[in-house]
Amino acid sequence: MDLFQFRKEYSSRGLRRADLNPNPAQQFADWFAQATEVGFHEPNAMSLASVDESGMPFQRIVLLKSFDDQGFTFFTNYTSRKAKHLEHCPKASLLFPWITLERQVIIQGTVEKVTPAESAEYFSARPRESQIGAWVSNQSDVIPSREFLMNKLEEIRNRFGDGEVPLPEFWGGYRLMPENIEFWQGGPARLHDRFFYQKTESGWSIDRLSP
């Protein structure tokens, strides 16, 4: 297979400085709404990049569950590999690959845990099976078999029966507080439009980057 021939010419949709909202969270909200409107599959799916203690980078897909001017929030197991990375180095990057719109958004910043109340609010809104799944999985741990996992699932179901499934103490949210946000729009002849928001003491600066 000759991957040299795998290429696609981007449209002339373009992105102008005058089109941008001075608030990157609002600009993100506008693009997110458009991704939703065109039926993009899971527009809240994002690649989360972190590094371990040796500096080795890791990436995985997680789901964005809320965002505002304060940051971008996702939830996970606090004993997982990603959580251990974030404890060691609370810096991370998010990537939203909205390919059908010829767009991507890259967000870099510092990560902190959300409050227990915020975690509880989201956990209570999850489907029951997802709540039980949070109790079942010691995320990133080595397990002997699929059967081991299914046996633990049955054990947890029996433990809680028809009652409420409480928030596990080892599970909750993180908020990435952005320091930089880049909006990328594909363009013809590989002359893409890239705008880089950087947090300053007075707000946000916006620069156009060369493609």
Side-chain angles (χ1 to χ4, degrees), residues 46-50 62 64 66-75 86 89-96 106-114 173-181 204:
M46 57 189 184
S47 175
L48 166 68
S50 62
V62 298
L64 177 70
S66 69
F67 66 91
D68 54 24
D69 287 343
Q70 302 306 309
F72 298 76
T73 300
F74 61 94
F75 294 84
L86 295 175
C89 177
K91 298 278 189 178
S93 176
L94 305 174
L95 168 65
F96 291 86
I106 301 172
I107 306 169
Q108 297 168 305
T110 301
V111 178
E112 67 176 12
K113 288 182 178 178
V114 304
Y174 286 98
R175 179 179 294 106
L176 186 146
M177 298 168 290
E179 298 171 10
N180 306 306
I181 303 181
W204 291 90

Side-chain angles (χ1 to χ4, degrees), residues 155-185:
E155 174 192 327
I156 296 298
R157 281 177 174 162
N158 291 335
R159 180 194 303 182
F160 295 121
D162 295 327
E164 178 183 353
V165 181
L167 171 70
E169 63 180 14
F170 53 81
W171 193 96
Y174 286 98
R175 179 179 294 106
L176 186 146
M177 298 168 290
E179 298 171 10
N180 306 306
I181 303 181
E182 179 183 328
F183 293 87
W184 182 98
Q185 176 72 64

Side-chain angles (χ1 to χ4, degrees), residues 73-136:
T73 300
F74 61 94
F75 294 84
T76 190
N77 187 308
Y78 283 150
T79 67
S80 65
R81 183 166 59 189
K82 73 175 78 66
K84 293 174 183 176
H85 293 175
L86 295 175
E87 182 178 356
H88 164 69
C89 177
K91 298 278 189 178
S93 176
L94 305 174
L95 168 65
F96 291 86
W98 294 327
I99 298 170
T100 55
L101 289 172
E102 301 175 348
R103 289 175 173 173
Q104 68 177 5
V105 181
I106 301 172
I107 306 169
Q108 297 168 305
T110 301
V111 178
E112 67 176 12
K113 288 182 178 178
V114 304
T115 66
E118 290 176 278
S119 293
E121 179 183 14
Y122 171 65
F123 189 80
S124 67
R126 300 185 89 201
R128 184 178 181 83
E129 286 297 288
S130 295
Q131 293 177 337
I132 290 174
W135 281 92
V136 170

Side-chain angles (χ1 to χ4, degrees), residues 24-79:
Q26 186 55 57
Q27 179 63 38
F28 180 86
D30 293 344
W31 273 22
F32 188 88
Q34 291 170 27
T36 302
E37 289 167 4
V38 301
F40 190 89
H41 181 62
E42 292 196 296
N44 63 325
M46 57 189 184
S47 175
L48 166 68
S50 62
V51 296
D52 68 11
E53 293 186 3
S54 71
M56 177 66 73
F58 287 77
Q59 292 176 298
R60 76 288 288 165
I61 300 297
V62 298
L63 298 179
L64 177 70
K65 288 303 177 180
S66 69
F67 66 91
D68 54 24
D69 287 343
Q70 302 306 309
F72 298 76
T73 300
F74 61 94
F75 294 84
T76 190
N77 187 308
Y78 283 150
T79 67

